[in-house]
Structure formats: C-alpha cells, structure tokens
Amino acid sequence: MSLKIYNTLSREKEEFKPITPGHVGMYVCGPTVYSDVHLGNCRTFISFDIIYRYLIYLGYKVRYVRNITDAGHLEGDRDEGDDKFSKIARLQQLEPMEIVQKYTLGFRHVMQLLNNLPPSIEPTATGHIAEQIEMTKQILKNGYGYEVNGTIYFDVEKYNKEQPYGILTNRKMEDLLEGTRELGGQDEKKGRLDFALWIKAKPEHLMQWPSPWGMGFPGWHIECSAMSEKYLGKKFDIHGGGMDLAATHHTNEIAQSQACYHTSPANYWMHTNMLTVNGTRMSKSLGNGFLPEELFTGNHPLLEKAYAPIVVRFFMLQTHYRSTLDFSNDALQASEKGLKRLWDAYETLNKFSMGNVQLASDPELDVKVNKLVNEFDEFMNDDFNTAKVLGNMFELVPVINSIKDGLIKTDAVSSATLTLLQAKFKAYLEDVFGLKNSSANNEKLGDVMELLIDIRKEAKTKKDFTTSDKIRNQLASIGINLKDEKGGEMSWDID
RNA sequence: GGUCCUGUAGCCGAGUGGCUAGGCAAAGCUCUGCAAAAGCUUCUACACCGGUUCGAAUCCGGUCGGGACCUCCA
C-alpha cells in the first residue's frame, strides 16, 4: 500500500508520487523569530517532524528545508511602518540581529527538547536578500509587479485574469475582494489584494538593503519562494505549514512562483491544524499562547503541574494533524500516564529473549499480533494517522505485559512474530514518533536503586517487612515507585 | 457576508456505510505479607430532524451549536 497525502490544493487524499523517485523535497514555513515560539507553533513543527521521519522510514532521501524568518515581516501588513524586528529592537534597545539571534537559539532549543530532528537546511531571509531581489526583478520583468516610490507590489488582479489566484483555498476573486477594506487615499497599491514584494525603507529603518529600487527590505512572502527555489528547485514535492498560512502566505507563494517561473512551486500542499485553548486558537496576537518553558516548568495559571517535553509530543500524536487539538491540563495528564504505560511495555518488550518458536501455540493470538503490527504502516500511509498507530500499540500492551507475567505462554506467538513486534515498536516509538522515556534518570541512580532493591529483597526473604516497607515508603515519598513483580523481581520508576 | 472545518460515552480523542479504536478517569475481580504495577471484566457513545439504503456515527438535505480563514500569526 502506498503513501497517501491530503493535498489542500485538491482537497482530497492523493497518492504520493515524488518528482524524482526515491527523493523528496519538502519545504515548511518556519518561525518568525521576533518572540518566543508558543506551543501552537510547536505543534506544526512536531507534525512535520513526524512526516519527515516517516518519509525517511519509508526509505526516501529527504531534503527538508525550514526557513527562519528574520527580516521583513510587517506589523499589521499595511505595507508601511517598521518590520517586527526593528520594532522590538527599538523597544529593547538591541540590534535587530540580537533579537534574531536570541529567538533563533530559543527556537532551536525548544525543538531539541521536543525531540524534533533538525531540518536539512534552515535558511534565513536575511541571508537570501540577493535571491529575493532577483525574483522580484523577474516578476517585474514578466509584468506582474509594479513600482510605486521604491516599493514593488504584486499585481494580483492582473495575475488573476490569467490564472485563479485563490486556487489553494478555493476562493473566488470577488469573494476575496469583498473581505478586504477599501483602499484609502494614502494607499500606493493599485489593487486591494496586491501585496509587497519589496518595501522601501525609511532612513531610520534599522534593517535595510540596497536594491535596484533604492534602500529597502523584502516582503514576507517572497522569502519562501526564493529560498525554496534555491534549495529545492522551481518545483518540489511537499510544501507545508500551519493552516493559517494557506489563505494568504501560501496563496501568494503560488502566485509569485507562477509569475516568476510559470510553475506552481509544490505538488502537495500540506496544512496542519491549530492548537486551541478552550476552543480558541492559540496565537501570539490573542496572547493566549503557552510558552514551552511555562509548560515544562508548570509555571502557568491553567496548569496544575509541569509536563515533560516528550509528554507534549506524545499528546500531539494522539490527534490527527489535520484536526484541531484542544490543550488542557486533563488531556495532558492523560497523555502523561498513557505514555508511561506504553513506554513501560516497550522496555519490557525489549527485555524479552527470543526463543526459537517455529509454530505459535496460540495461532489466533499470533495472527492478531501480526495484524496489529502490520497496520502501523497502513495507518501511516493513510495521511500519517499517528493516532491509529498508537491505538494499535495500546492494544498490544496487554499482550506484552501478559507474556511478561506468564499469563500468556512464551510460545503462544512465534519467535518471528515477537521479533517483528520488537522491531516495529522500536522503529515507530523511537525513529518515527521520536518518543523517549519521560522520566529522566542516570546511571548512578540506577546503581543506587540496585543496592536498595538488594536490601529490600533480603528483608523480604527474612520477612522483615518493617525494613522492606521503610525502603519502599521512603522512596515513594521522594517520588520513586518500587514495584514487586512476579518471581520476586522488583522494578522502579520515577513519578 | 464569503470559503472551509467541526459537534462521538465523565474527560481527551480515532473512525474506510455492516465487523461496536484507543487513552485517561470510575467500579468489580485476580495476583500480592501489604501496596503499587500488571491482567481480566464492566460503563457500548455518535447534536437534532428528515432522506437514501437490506443496513448510517459514516452518504444527502435541513435545523441548532462550536471553530478557523478572509488583517500579522504555525
């Protein structure tokens, strides 16, 4: 069964066919680094990290490009005034590039905590000014742009006469126009939907570069067009981002590429849904965004406790990427426990020694396990349905635990099945989903626990329950759970 | 107003017309020196009203509710 991807452009799932067999080019719109990323931003990057990892799992050689927007983003998109970096820089009396540096590092740190793989290339807008100017020149040359006082605008209405501008989100020109304000007297633009490719900078503007049209800075949309073309070519496989980018940013990217190169940039447009809080979208402008930091420390009025980054990642995997996901304390708590249960079973599974069982003594169970495991790929191939894969994994947890406890005989399933189970759990939990144990511990602690377990075992053998209980209770009070297992063994974990 | 998405058991959530995902919570039982963990069992839901169909949570129409986008935002 082949991979199917929901394409925003066609509004249906399509079979994935890469342009170059065996290779995938994927571009994802990254963060604008003028402030901390919030959890909603993180959701998108986690979703695409899973997609990236799964494509690698399938054997593709993937070039994953995710930009850092560090210039040009305007306040209010009125094509006037400061860009966001200059504004914050003035406020904090810093160089714009100090702002950029600070939040870029912060972003990468959070990505790492969430166990996202770094993209293959992470290009910045300021590093590609020349490319953006070139592209603007070409668009002008092709007749889709016009200059007004040193600012270059994209002529949307002209473009729309030749091809549908609102193709990505299925909107008609008239409807789009209805939703926009009238042009005021001081507006330079010809059309209400026109957007800036290059913006003339005022003298006091902190970030500006020379161009054929004077000093200025690039418009927001042109950077992604220029950088995706540079690293992935005029036409590549997947272009992704949050759903909020589809109507404006991605629509404009398509128009720019068409106007410049006469081709739509990507074959598959993927959009991840929003993270909500109490049913409302988490966003910077609404100020209801959770910072990862607040979550990891529990320092937020809506949170009862801190949650490990990996719990947050797991929480997001339980929902399909195209559904909205509501963020709540209860939901996170459920995820925390669920991940622990799943991971405990995974560690148990890894300790199984493979016998040499040719024939399963419980063929029915053997068939069931094979079916559940083989469905992992099937579900992922169906537009990356991580939630369903996890559902199957949880169905396998009782099987694993029962084998451990001797409730299911070791020869119930064949060695081949058990080997497959082990391999797929590893491949999915670690490689594709990028999960790990939520409770961090270190080797020294492990050694100490060995010692305590030894002492407790001795005490129990002597029926010295005062001592054995003391060890267990005191450990419990510092958050370490000691559990007796069948056969006298003991295991432990941290809350 | 336009373009879409959505309404699933206490909570979170998956869901391809027929085979009742899964997690968390709750209850009972088993195991156990006691506990925890684990296992087993129970709680069997699809906003409402029509329609199509042998059969609908799933398709169609309508009603009501929620949300996103159309302004910067992943």
Side-chain angles (χ1 to χ4, degrees), chain A residues 3 5 16-27 51-52 54-65 120 231-233 235-238 267-268:
Chain A
L3 175 63
I5 295 180
F16 178 66
K17 288 185 193 135
I19 294 166
T20 310
H23 293 255
V24 178
M26 176 163 85
Y27 188 94
I51 290 162
Y52 177 45
Y54 187 63
L55 290 168
I56 293 171
Y57 166 86
L58 288 180
Y60 288 109
K61 194 165 183 333
V62 187
R63 180 178 289 174
Y64 172 24
V65 181
S120 324
Y231 298 111
L232 297 169
K235 185 120 181 154
F236 50 95
D237 298 296
I238 299 171
N267 283 330
Y268 302 87

mmCIF file of all heavy atoms in Angstrom, chain A residues 3 5 16-27 51-52 54-65 120 231-233 235-238 267-268:
data_model
loop_
_atom_site.group_PDB
_atom_site.id
_atom_site.type_symbol
_atom_site.label_atom_id
_atom_site.label_comp_id
_atom_site.label_asym_id
_atom_site.label_seq_id
_atom_site.Cartn_x
_atom_site.Cartn_y
_atom_site.Cartn_z
ATOM 1 N N LEU A 3 1.776 5.446 0.009
ATOM 2 C CA LEU A 3 1.502 6.610 0.861
ATOM 3 C C LEU A 3 0.481 7.544 0.211
ATOM 4 O O LEU A 3 0.602 7.898 -0.951
ATOM 5 C CB LEU A 3 2.819 7.365 1.098
ATOM 6 C CG LEU A 3 2.741 8.680 1.862
ATOM 7 C CD1 LEU A 3 2.236 8.453 3.279
ATOM 8 C CD2 LEU A 3 4.111 9.352 1.888
ATOM 9 N N ILE A 5 -1.413 11.289 0.710
ATOM 10 C CA ILE A 5 -1.297 12.567 1.406
ATOM 11 C C ILE A 5 -2.488 13.448 1.058
ATOM 12 O O ILE A 5 -2.868 13.556 -0.110
ATOM 13 C CB ILE A 5 0.015 13.287 0.984
ATOM 14 C CG1 ILE A 5 1.223 12.475 1.451
ATOM 15 C CG2 ILE A 5 0.066 14.706 1.542
ATOM 16 C CD1 ILE A 5 2.559 13.108 1.090
ATOM 17 N N PHE A 16 0.999 9.600 -3.130
ATOM 18 C CA PHE A 16 2.223 10.393 -3.187
ATOM 19 C C PHE A 16 3.181 9.859 -4.238
ATOM 20 O O PHE A 16 3.614 8.709 -4.174
ATOM 21 C CB PHE A 16 2.909 10.409 -1.817
ATOM 22 C CG PHE A 16 4.198 11.182 -1.824
ATOM 23 C CD1 PHE A 16 4.205 12.556 -2.034
ATOM 24 C CD2 PHE A 16 5.417 10.526 -1.637
ATOM 25 C CE1 PHE A 16 5.399 13.267 -2.060
ATOM 26 C CE2 PHE A 16 6.619 11.234 -1.657
ATOM 27 C CZ PHE A 16 6.603 12.608 -1.866
ATOM 28 N N LYS A 17 3.479 10.720 -5.206
ATOM 29 C CA LYS A 17 4.451 10.339 -6.243
ATOM 30 C C LYS A 17 5.541 11.399 -6.279
ATOM 31 O O LYS A 17 5.302 12.514 -6.740
ATOM 32 C CB LYS A 17 3.764 10.269 -7.613
ATOM 33 C CG LYS A 17 2.837 9.078 -7.762
ATOM 34 C CD LYS A 17 2.294 9.007 -9.188
ATOM 35 C CE LYS A 17 1.129 8.031 -9.268
ATOM 36 N NZ LYS A 17 -0.011 8.571 -10.035
ATOM 37 N N PRO A 18 6.722 11.069 -5.796
ATOM 38 C CA PRO A 18 7.790 12.075 -5.794
ATOM 39 C C PRO A 18 8.238 12.403 -7.214
ATOM 40 O O PRO A 18 8.120 11.575 -8.107
ATOM 41 C CB PRO A 18 8.910 11.395 -5.001
ATOM 42 C CG PRO A 18 8.639 9.943 -5.076
ATOM 43 C CD PRO A 18 7.158 9.776 -5.253
ATOM 44 N N ILE A 19 8.732 13.615 -7.380
ATOM 45 C CA ILE A 19 9.192 14.054 -8.693
ATOM 46 C C ILE A 19 10.377 13.199 -9.152
ATOM 47 O O ILE A 19 10.417 12.719 -10.271
ATOM 48 C CB ILE A 19 9.592 15.547 -8.654
ATOM 49 C CG1 ILE A 19 8.340 16.389 -8.394
ATOM 50 C CG2 ILE A 19 10.285 15.964 -9.950
ATOM 51 C CD1 ILE A 19 8.618 17.829 -8.003
ATOM 52 N N THR A 20 11.326 13.013 -8.229
ATOM 53 C CA THR A 20 12.462 12.134 -8.503
ATOM 54 C C THR A 20 12.304 10.895 -7.640
ATOM 55 O O THR A 20 12.265 11.021 -6.420
ATOM 56 C CB THR A 20 13.788 12.827 -8.133
ATOM 57 O OG1 THR A 20 13.803 14.116 -8.729
ATOM 58 C CG2 THR A 20 14.982 12.024 -8.597
ATOM 59 N N PRO A 21 12.178 9.732 -8.264
ATOM 60 C CA PRO A 21 11.963 8.517 -7.466
ATOM 61 C C PRO A 21 13.018 8.369 -6.359
ATOM 62 O O PRO A 21 14.208 8.569 -6.610
ATOM 63 C CB PRO A 21 12.088 7.393 -8.491
ATOM 64 C CG PRO A 21 11.728 8.030 -9.797
ATOM 65 C CD PRO A 21 12.205 9.454 -9.702
ATOM 66 N N GLY A 22 12.536 8.065 -5.169
ATOM 67 C CA GLY A 22 13.465 7.847 -4.062
ATOM 68 C C GLY A 22 13.850 9.105 -3.306
ATOM 69 O O GLY A 22 14.477 9.034 -2.255
ATOM 70 N N HIS A 23 13.490 10.260 -3.861
ATOM 71 C CA HIS A 23 13.858 11.518 -3.218
ATOM 72 C C HIS A 23 12.619 12.367 -2.925
ATOM 73 O O HIS A 23 11.678 12.364 -3.709
ATOM 74 C CB HIS A 23 14.804 12.327 -4.111
ATOM 75 C CG HIS A 23 16.139 11.674 -4.271
ATOM 76 N ND1 HIS A 23 17.259 12.124 -3.637
ATOM 77 C CD2 HIS A 23 16.519 10.590 -4.989
ATOM 78 C CE1 HIS A 23 18.284 11.345 -3.959
ATOM 79 N NE2 HIS A 23 17.859 10.408 -4.787
ATOM 80 N N VAL A 24 12.682 13.099 -1.827
ATOM 81 C CA VAL A 24 11.589 14.015 -1.512
ATOM 82 C C VAL A 24 12.166 15.371 -1.148
ATOM 83 O O VAL A 24 13.102 15.476 -0.360
ATOM 84 C CB VAL A 24 10.748 13.509 -0.318
ATOM 85 C CG1 VAL A 24 9.635 14.514 0.010
ATOM 86 C CG2 VAL A 24 10.133 12.139 -0.603
ATOM 87 N N GLY A 25 11.601 16.401 -1.749
ATOM 88 C CA GLY A 25 11.937 17.768 -1.358
ATOM 89 C C GLY A 25 10.763 18.341 -0.587
ATOM 90 O O GLY A 25 9.643 18.335 -1.078
ATOM 91 N N MET A 26 11.036 18.795 0.620
ATOM 92 C CA MET A 26 9.946 19.306 1.452
ATOM 93 C C MET A 26 10.325 20.652 2.055
ATOM 94 O O MET A 26 11.386 20.800 2.658
ATOM 95 C CB MET A 26 9.631 18.306 2.569
ATOM 96 C CG MET A 26 8.568 18.791 3.551
ATOM 97 S SD MET A 26 7.855 17.454 4.540
ATOM 98 C CE MET A 26 9.041 17.340 5.892
ATOM 99 N N TYR A 27 9.431 21.608 1.882
ATOM 100 C CA TYR A 27 9.656 22.942 2.436
ATOM 101 C C TYR A 27 8.560 23.247 3.449
ATOM 102 O O TYR A 27 7.375 23.083 3.160
ATOM 103 C CB TYR A 27 9.621 23.992 1.326
ATOM 104 C CG TYR A 27 10.030 25.373 1.786
ATOM 105 C CD1 TYR A 27 11.345 25.809 1.660
ATOM 106 C CD2 TYR A 27 9.107 26.244 2.364
ATOM 107 C CE1 TYR A 27 11.737 27.070 2.091
ATOM 108 C CE2 TYR A 27 9.478 27.508 2.799
ATOM 109 C CZ TYR A 27 10.804 27.917 2.658
ATOM 110 O OH TYR A 27 11.172 29.164 3.093
ATOM 111 N N ILE A 51 6.309 13.629 9.855
ATOM 112 C CA ILE A 51 6.216 13.390 8.413
ATOM 113 C C ILE A 51 7.615 13.168 7.826
ATOM 114 O O ILE A 51 7.841 12.226 7.072
ATOM 115 C CB ILE A 51 5.492 14.574 7.730
ATOM 116 C CG1 ILE A 51 4.006 14.537 8.127
ATOM 117 C CG2 ILE A 51 5.674 14.557 6.221
ATOM 118 C CD1 ILE A 51 3.253 15.820 7.906
ATOM 119 N N TYR A 52 8.533 14.016 8.219
ATOM 120 C CA TYR A 52 9.936 13.889 7.791
ATOM 121 C C TYR A 52 10.501 12.521 8.190
ATOM 122 O O TYR A 52 11.063 11.798 7.371
ATOM 123 C CB TYR A 52 10.733 15.017 8.458
ATOM 124 C CG TYR A 52 12.221 15.030 8.214
ATOM 125 C CD1 TYR A 52 12.757 14.831 6.945
ATOM 126 C CD2 TYR A 52 13.102 15.288 9.274
ATOM 127 C CE1 TYR A 52 14.126 14.876 6.740
ATOM 128 C CE2 TYR A 52 14.481 15.342 9.076
ATOM 129 C CZ TYR A 52 14.985 15.130 7.816
ATOM 130 O OH TYR A 52 16.332 15.178 7.618
ATOM 131 N N TYR A 54 8.878 9.839 8.965
ATOM 132 C CA TYR A 54 8.207 8.713 8.316
ATOM 133 C C TYR A 54 8.691 8.548 6.873
ATOM 134 O O TYR A 54 8.874 7.429 6.405
ATOM 135 C CB TYR A 54 6.678 8.876 8.350
ATOM 136 C CG TYR A 54 5.970 7.639 7.829
ATOM 137 C CD1 TYR A 54 6.095 6.417 8.490
ATOM 138 C CD2 TYR A 54 5.231 7.676 6.648
ATOM 139 C CE1 TYR A 54 5.486 5.274 8.005
ATOM 140 C CE2 TYR A 54 4.614 6.535 6.155
ATOM 141 C CZ TYR A 54 4.745 5.336 6.836
ATOM 142 O OH TYR A 54 4.143 4.197 6.343
ATOM 143 N N LEU A 55 8.902 9.654 6.197
ATOM 144 C CA LEU A 55 9.414 9.572 4.828
ATOM 145 C C LEU A 55 10.789 8.894 4.819
ATOM 146 O O LEU A 55 11.093 8.088 3.942
ATOM 147 C CB LEU A 55 9.498 10.968 4.202
ATOM 148 C CG LEU A 55 8.147 11.630 3.880
ATOM 149 C CD1 LEU A 55 8.328 13.104 3.538
ATOM 150 C CD2 LEU A 55 7.452 10.909 2.726
ATOM 151 N N ILE A 56 11.593 9.212 5.816
ATOM 152 C CA ILE A 56 12.901 8.565 5.937
ATOM 153 C C ILE A 56 12.719 7.082 6.220
ATOM 154 O O ILE A 56 13.376 6.234 5.619
ATOM 155 C CB ILE A 56 13.734 9.229 7.063
ATOM 156 C CG1 ILE A 56 14.100 10.661 6.663
ATOM 157 C CG2 ILE A 56 14.991 8.408 7.367
ATOM 158 C CD1 ILE A 56 14.729 11.473 7.786
ATOM 159 N N TYR A 57 11.786 6.783 7.095
ATOM 160 C CA TYR A 57 11.476 5.387 7.432
ATOM 161 C C TYR A 57 11.084 4.606 6.178
ATOM 162 O O TYR A 57 11.433 3.443 6.016
ATOM 163 C CB TYR A 57 10.356 5.368 8.478
ATOM 164 C CG TYR A 57 9.684 4.035 8.702
ATOM 165 C CD1 TYR A 57 10.207 3.097 9.590
ATOM 166 C CD2 TYR A 57 8.494 3.720 8.036
ATOM 167 C CE1 TYR A 57 9.577 1.883 9.797
ATOM 168 C CE2 TYR A 57 7.861 2.513 8.239
ATOM 169 C CZ TYR A 57 8.403 1.591 9.110
ATOM 170 O OH TYR A 57 7.769 0.385 9.319
ATOM 171 N N LEU A 58 10.359 5.273 5.291
ATOM 172 C CA LEU A 58 9.941 4.616 4.047
ATOM 173 C C LEU A 58 11.104 4.430 3.077
ATOM 174 O O LEU A 58 10.954 3.797 2.040
ATOM 175 C CB LEU A 58 8.837 5.439 3.357
ATOM 176 C CG LEU A 58 7.452 5.421 4.012
ATOM 177 C CD1 LEU A 58 6.495 6.285 3.195
ATOM 178 C CD2 LEU A 58 6.911 4.004 4.137
ATOM 179 N N GLY A 59 12.240 5.031 3.411
ATOM 180 C CA GLY A 59 13.416 4.842 2.580
ATOM 181 C C GLY A 59 13.726 5.997 1.645
ATOM 182 O O GLY A 59 14.640 5.920 0.833
ATOM 183 N N TYR A 60 12.939 7.065 1.750
ATOM 184 C CA TYR A 60 13.219 8.222 0.897
ATOM 185 C C TYR A 60 14.428 8.978 1.406
ATOM 186 O O TYR A 60 14.704 9.019 2.596
ATOM 187 C CB TYR A 60 12.035 9.189 0.885
ATOM 188 C CG TYR A 60 10.842 8.696 0.113
ATOM 189 C CD1 TYR A 60 9.677 8.315 0.765
ATOM 190 C CD2 TYR A 60 10.890 8.613 -1.276
ATOM 191 C CE1 TYR A 60 8.563 7.864 0.057
ATOM 192 C CE2 TYR A 60 9.787 8.161 -1.994
ATOM 193 C CZ TYR A 60 8.640 7.793 -1.325
ATOM 194 O OH TYR A 60 7.558 7.346 -2.021
ATOM 195 N N LYS A 61 15.119 9.578 0.474
ATOM 196 C CA LYS A 61 16.157 10.519 0.836
ATOM 197 C C LYS A 61 15.469 11.881 0.812
ATOM 198 O O LYS A 61 15.015 12.331 -0.232
ATOM 199 C CB LYS A 61 17.281 10.457 -0.210
ATOM 200 C CG LYS A 61 18.539 11.135 0.248
ATOM 201 C CD LYS A 61 19.706 10.743 -0.645
ATOM 202 C CE LYS A 61 21.021 11.335 -0.185
ATOM 203 N NZ LYS A 61 20.988 12.564 0.546
ATOM 204 N N VAL A 62 15.370 12.487 1.973
ATOM 205 C CA VAL A 62 14.560 13.692 2.086
ATOM 206 C C VAL A 62 15.431 14.923 2.304
ATOM 207 O O VAL A 62 16.325 14.917 3.150
ATOM 208 C CB VAL A 62 13.589 13.583 3.291
ATOM 209 C CG1 VAL A 62 12.617 14.772 3.288
ATOM 210 C CG2 VAL A 62 12.818 12.273 3.259
ATOM 211 N N ARG A 63 15.165 15.951 1.520
ATOM 212 C CA ARG A 63 15.757 17.245 1.839
ATOM 213 C C ARG A 63 14.644 18.104 2.432
ATOM 214 O O ARG A 63 13.682 18.448 1.750
ATOM 215 C CB ARG A 63 16.354 17.927 0.610
ATOM 216 C CG ARG A 63 16.974 19.291 0.998
ATOM 217 C CD ARG A 63 17.628 19.992 -0.163
ATOM 218 N NE ARG A 63 18.872 19.314 -0.553
ATOM 219 C CZ ARG A 63 19.571 19.662 -1.625
ATOM 220 N NH1 ARG A 63 19.150 20.639 -2.397
ATOM 221 N NH2 ARG A 63 20.673 19.012 -1.913
ATOM 222 N N TYR A 64 14.808 18.388 3.710
ATOM 223 C CA TYR A 64 13.781 19.094 4.464
ATOM 224 C C TYR A 64 14.288 20.510 4.742
ATOM 225 O O TYR A 64 15.256 20.695 5.469
ATOM 226 C CB TYR A 64 13.516 18.305 5.754
ATOM 227 C CG TYR A 64 12.619 18.947 6.791
ATOM 228 C CD1 TYR A 64 11.671 19.914 6.466
ATOM 229 C CD2 TYR A 64 12.711 18.541 8.122
ATOM 230 C CE1 TYR A 64 10.855 20.463 7.442
ATOM 231 C CE2 TYR A 64 11.894 19.074 9.108
ATOM 232 C CZ TYR A 64 10.973 20.050 8.756
ATOM 233 O OH TYR A 64 10.171 20.596 9.728
ATOM 234 N N VAL A 65 13.639 21.479 4.136
ATOM 235 C CA VAL A 65 14.047 22.877 4.298
ATOM 236 C C VAL A 65 13.006 23.613 5.139
ATOM 237 O O VAL A 65 11.819 23.571 4.835
ATOM 238 C CB VAL A 65 14.176 23.584 2.926
ATOM 239 C CG1 VAL A 65 14.627 25.031 3.101
ATOM 240 C CG2 VAL A 65 15.149 22.823 2.025
ATOM 241 N N SER A 120 17.189 19.630 7.101
ATOM 242 C CA SER A 120 18.435 19.517 6.327
ATOM 243 C C SER A 120 19.058 20.886 6.118
ATOM 244 O O SER A 120 20.264 21.049 6.157
ATOM 245 C CB SER A 120 18.154 18.906 4.957
ATOM 246 O OG SER A 120 17.153 17.945 5.020
ATOM 247 N N TYR A 231 16.912 25.943 -2.928
ATOM 248 C CA TYR A 231 17.361 24.665 -2.366
ATOM 249 C C TYR A 231 16.578 23.447 -2.849
ATOM 250 O O TYR A 231 17.026 22.319 -2.693
ATOM 251 C CB TYR A 231 17.326 24.741 -0.839
ATOM 252 C CG TYR A 231 18.268 25.805 -0.331
ATOM 253 C CD1 TYR A 231 17.800 26.980 0.255
ATOM 254 C CD2 TYR A 231 19.642 25.656 -0.497
ATOM 255 C CE1 TYR A 231 18.662 27.974 0.679
ATOM 256 C CE2 TYR A 231 20.535 26.643 -0.083
ATOM 257 C CZ TYR A 231 20.036 27.795 0.502
ATOM 258 O OH TYR A 231 20.902 28.780 0.904
ATOM 259 N N LEU A 232 15.392 23.685 -3.393
ATOM 260 C CA LEU A 232 14.586 22.535 -3.814
ATOM 261 C C LEU A 232 14.200 22.587 -5.288
ATOM 262 O O LEU A 232 13.685 21.609 -5.836
ATOM 263 C CB LEU A 232 13.312 22.450 -2.961
ATOM 264 C CG LEU A 232 13.540 22.205 -1.461
ATOM 265 C CD1 LEU A 232 12.238 22.409 -0.688
ATOM 266 C CD2 LEU A 232 14.097 20.814 -1.209
ATOM 267 N N GLY A 233 14.438 23.720 -5.902
ATOM 268 C CA GLY A 233 14.104 23.842 -7.321
ATOM 269 C C GLY A 233 12.772 24.526 -7.528
ATOM 270 O O GLY A 233 12.052 24.825 -6.579
ATOM 271 N N LYS A 235 10.180 23.425 -8.812
ATOM 272 C CA LYS A 235 9.047 22.559 -8.484
ATOM 273 C C LYS A 235 9.550 21.453 -7.558
ATOM 274 O O LYS A 235 10.491 20.752 -7.888
ATOM 275 C CB LYS A 235 8.489 21.939 -9.769
ATOM 276 C CG LYS A 235 7.242 21.138 -9.526
ATOM 277 C CD LYS A 235 6.118 21.748 -10.328
ATOM 278 C CE LYS A 235 4.810 21.025 -10.131
ATOM 279 N NZ LYS A 235 3.692 21.957 -10.374
ATOM 280 N N PHE A 236 8.938 21.352 -6.414
ATOM 281 C CA PHE A 236 9.358 20.280 -5.490
ATOM 282 C C PHE A 236 8.130 19.548 -4.989
ATOM 283 O O PHE A 236 7.007 19.817 -5.421
ATOM 284 C CB PHE A 236 10.205 20.870 -4.350
ATOM 285 C CG PHE A 236 9.594 22.064 -3.670
ATOM 286 C CD1 PHE A 236 8.843 21.899 -2.516
ATOM 287 C CD2 PHE A 236 9.763 23.350 -4.180
ATOM 288 C CE1 PHE A 236 8.269 22.991 -1.885
ATOM 289 C CE2 PHE A 236 9.186 24.449 -3.558
ATOM 290 C CZ PHE A 236 8.437 24.273 -2.399
ATOM 291 N N ASP A 237 8.340 18.612 -4.046
ATOM 292 C CA ASP A 237 7.247 17.694 -3.712
ATOM 293 C C ASP A 237 6.235 18.248 -2.708
ATOM 294 O O ASP A 237 5.055 18.325 -3.005
ATOM 295 C CB ASP A 237 7.833 16.379 -3.175
ATOM 296 C CG ASP A 237 8.690 15.686 -4.209
ATOM 297 O OD1 ASP A 237 8.133 15.284 -5.242
ATOM 298 O OD2 ASP A 237 9.921 15.576 -4.005
ATOM 299 N N ILE A 238 6.718 18.581 -1.521
ATOM 300 C CA ILE A 238 5.783 18.938 -0.450
ATOM 301 C C ILE A 238 6.066 20.336 0.071
ATOM 302 O O ILE A 238 7.215 20.685 0.352
ATOM 303 C CB ILE A 238 5.898 17.936 0.727
ATOM 304 C CG1 ILE A 238 5.559 16.523 0.260
ATOM 305 C CG2 ILE A 238 4.973 18.351 1.882
ATOM 306 C CD1 ILE A 238 5.857 15.441 1.285
ATOM 307 N N ASN A 267 3.916 20.176 -5.487
ATOM 308 C CA ASN A 267 2.838 19.263 -5.903
ATOM 309 C C ASN A 267 1.834 19.014 -4.786
ATOM 310 O O ASN A 267 0.648 18.889 -5.027
ATOM 311 C CB ASN A 267 3.428 17.929 -6.344
ATOM 312 C CG ASN A 267 4.033 18.037 -7.738
ATOM 313 O OD1 ASN A 267 3.569 18.830 -8.559
ATOM 314 N ND2 ASN A 267 5.060 17.250 -8.002
ATOM 315 N N TYR A 268 2.346 18.900 -3.573
ATOM 316 C CA TYR A 268 1.457 18.588 -2.449
ATOM 317 C C TYR A 268 1.549 19.703 -1.410
ATOM 318 O O TYR A 268 2.633 20.018 -0.928
ATOM 319 C CB TYR A 268 1.846 17.260 -1.787
ATOM 320 C CG TYR A 268 1.827 16.103 -2.749
ATOM 321 C CD1 TYR A 268 2.954 15.801 -3.510
ATOM 322 C CD2 TYR A 268 0.687 15.330 -2.921
ATOM 323 C CE1 TYR A 268 2.949 14.757 -4.421
ATOM 324 C CE2 TYR A 268 0.664 14.276 -3.822
ATOM 325 C CZ TYR A 268 1.801 13.997 -4.578
ATOM 326 O OH TYR A 268 1.793 12.962 -5.483
#
